[in-house]
Amino acid sequence: MRSLRRNKRAFWYANLVGSEEILSGGKRTGQYVTRYGNPVNAMENVSAARGSLDDEHFGINADYDRTITSCDRNLGIDEASVLWIEKAPEIASDGSTDTPWDYVVAKIARSINSTTIAIKKVSVS
């Protein structure tokens, strides 16, 4: 009863793999591009937009828009993950995507029985 299936909704996330230096004509530019793994589909409880009556797990000054609550303490999302909540990524045949994500992880709070993840809406072009 802790995490009802009917309260869960599908979303996608991808974890940070690393960064790669950008080369121009075989020469180092000093600029880096961040690389993420292939998107992973998940089903968890995603809150509605944050309101003033919500329980403030992360304090009153934390900057986040929604939360994801899971009874899986080993959920694969970390603080460097990116998420597709309001739109689904278009997955290529190799499992990758060029669809920009719409949320990033702001904070993660783990308790004995659950994990709560604060997420923030972003615009990525």
Side-chain angles (χ1 to χ4, degrees):
M1 189 93 162
R2 292 184 303 162
S3 183
L4 294 175
R5 189 175 312 161
R6 70 179 180 184
N7 292 337
K8 293 182 179 184
R9 64 177 281 197
F11 66 93
W12 297 79
Y13 70 91
N15 291 328
L16 178 69
V17 174
S19 60
E20 185 176 298
E21 188 169 20
I22 299 172
L23 301 177
S24 176
K27 297 187 181 197
R28 299 169 73 173
T29 63
Q31 297 177 337
Y32 291 84
V33 63
T34 305
R35 299 281 182 212
Y36 290 94
N38 292 341
V40 176
N41 193 5
M43 292 276 297
E44 296 300 338
N45 184 348
V46 180
S47 74
R50 180 176 167 217
S52 61
L53 297 178
D54 289 341
D55 185 15
E56 302 293 343
H57 294 286
F58 304 97
I60 58 173
N61 294 325
D63 189 19
Y64 65 96
D65 297 314
R66 301 170 91 172
T67 59
I68 298 172
T69 306
S70 173
C71 288
D72 181 4
R73 289 196 32 134
N74 298 318
L75 188 63
I77 299 173
D78 59 30
E79 289 193 359
S81 298
V82 294
L83 304 107
W84 293 264
I85 302 288
E86 294 173 1
K87 58 184 173 184
E90 295 180 20
I91 307 295
S93 60
D94 65 351
S96 66
T97 186
D98 289 331
T99 306
W101 52 86
D102 56 352
Y103 283 85
V104 295
V105 175
K107 286 265 194 202
I108 298 178
R110 287 181 169 71
S111 69
I112 294 172
N113 296 319
S114 66
T115 300
T116 303
I117 302 166
I119 57 176
K120 175 125 181 89
K121 183 149 182 78
V122 294
S123 291
V124 178
S125 54

